[in-house]
Amino acid sequence: MKIFLCHIMLICCISYGYGQVPFECNGLSFRVLAADEGTYLQKINQDESNQTISFSNLHFYPGQEINAIAYHPSQNVIYGILQTQPFQLCRIDAAYNLEILQTLPLSTDLVYVSGDITPDEKHLVVFGLGKNITENIVALVDVQTGVYDTQILSLQTTNPDQPFIYCADIAFHPTTGELYGFDFKNGRLVSLDITNRIINNDTYPISSIVVGNVPSIFFNDKGDLYGIGTNLQEETENRGYYKFDLATGQPDLLQELEIERNQDA
């Protein structure tokens, strides 16, 4: 799917060396987009002067359904999850080589389309999504040691009337380290505290503008939060480009987009 999809604007920074070709630190941003028989890796072209966005195809991966992508700053590679079960951890380098690293012990009752690298760069954090969830599941995959051990955490919400959330993407703030997502089950911006295993779904009000899923959510280097989502109920392929106000939680539609399929930024 991204019936529910996801994630982060990937901003590149340093150098790394282990066999794969590292991305250069040039500020490029990326997303994956589902297509017939595979997945495209695309460059995101964000024009902040006129508040528009466009995309350029970089590479096509036939037969692969890639999601939950996240850029690793010191390794200069992109990690992601292959959505064909059992779920597998993968890595993409600057030559667009896709390396499958390890099968992950993730429940097949959920999908894992939301991902980001923790601020300490030790883990890929992915959020589990499913229509019949009984707890909010986060998986932490060790990407520092090369062993890829996975820890499964259960998070509780602060709002007892809304105990479960659906996040199609998550993103860490570049300076505060706070983790955000858009809960399209209840229609509001939320923050996730992995350390204390708490989801704050009380602070921000319900949105009247974005009422469906937000398969791509990402920050720029200034800490501005953007998303690609829908103003229609449930999971649709109707897309718009939005900017979220972190003070109010409300999104502002910047640009109507073409019909798009599952994705993650």
Side-chain angles (χ1 to χ4, degrees):
M1 301 184 315
K2 241 169 182 183
I3 284 181
F4 317 111
L5 273 165
C6 1
H7 176 126
I8 313 163
M9 211 161 183
L10 309 175
I11 302 174
C12 303
C13 292
I14 322 175
S15 68
Y16 188 62
Y18 56 66
Q20 283 194 301
V21 182
F23 285 92
E24 295 181 3
C25 178
N26 53 15
L28 290 179
S29 303
F30 304 91
R31 76 169 180 176
V32 285
L33 180 68
D36 291 338
E37 307 300 330
T39 300
Y40 281 102
L41 176 66
Q42 296 183 324
K43 182 177 73 169
I44 297 175
N45 309 302
Q46 189 182 29
D47 189 336
E48 295 183 17
S49 64
N50 60 15
Q51 299 290 276
T52 60
I53 196 169
S54 63
F55 310 95
S56 305
N57 289 338
L58 297 175
H59 194 79
F60 182 67
Y61 299 93
Q64 301 289 0
E65 186 179 352
I66 307 168
N67 214 305
I69 62 169
Y71 175 73
H72 195 292
S74 60
Q75 295 180 12
N76 277 350
V77 293
I78 296 171
Y79 285 95
I81 304 292
L82 298 183
Q83 298 298 306
T84 47
Q85 298 180 1
F87 297 103
Q88 293 177 297
L89 179 68
C90 66
R91 185 169 58 198
I92 299 172
D93 68 8
Y96 313 133
N97 297 307
L98 175 69
E99 181 181 4
I100 299 175
L101 300 172
Q102 184 162 304
T103 297
L104 299 176
L106 301 178
S107 169
T108 56
D109 294 332
L110 304 175
V111 293
Y112 294 86
V113 293
S114 307
D116 202 359
I117 297 294
T118 53
D120 63 9
E121 303 184 16
K122 294 180 179 179
H123 296 91
L124 170 68
V125 52
V126 291
F127 188 83
L129 179 60
K131 285 297 183 115
N132 299 310
I133 58 173
T134 57
E135 55 184 336
N136 302 296
I137 295 297
V138 166
L140 294 178
V141 182
D142 180 354
V143 293
Q144 183 182 46
T145 64
V147 178
Y148 310 120
D149 286 338
T150 301
Q151 182 181 7
I152 305 296
L153 307 177
S154 177
L155 277 61
Q156 304 296 316
T157 64
T158 56
N159 187 336
D161 295 328
Q162 297 176 354
F164 309 118
I165 68 170
Y166 298 164
C167 277
D169 202 11
I170 52 175
F172 283 101
H173 191 289
T175 58
T176 69
E178 191 167 9
L179 182 61
Y180 290 87
F182 186 84
D183 171 21
F184 69 93
K185 175 178 174 60
N186 302 295
R188 68 173 74 203
L189 197 66
V190 299
S191 60
L192 299 88
D193 182 342
I194 297 174
T195 300
N196 295 304
R197 304 189 185 187
I198 293 173
I199 298 169
N200 183 341
N201 59 341
D202 277 321
T203 297
Y204 294 114
I206 293 174
S207 169
S208 60
I209 299 174
V210 176
V211 296
N213 69 326
V214 182
S216 288
I217 192 169
F218 48 84
F219 285 96
N220 64 9
D221 56 356
K222 301 172 187 175
D224 298 320
L225 181 62
Y226 296 89
I228 298 172
T230 177
N231 61 356
L232 300 178
Q233 291 285 355
E234 299 301 328
E235 303 87 28
T236 75
E237 295 176 352
N238 172 66
R239 303 293 186 210
Y241 171 48
Y242 297 89
K243 183 177 182 179
F244 288 87
D245 185 330
L246 288 182
T248 66
Q250 292 301 312
D252 180 29
L253 178 62
L254 303 180
Q255 181 184 349
E256 294 280 1
L257 301 177
E258 301 289 335
I259 298 296
E260 294 183 336
R261 299 176 63 176
N262 299 340
Q263 63 182 273
D264 191 43

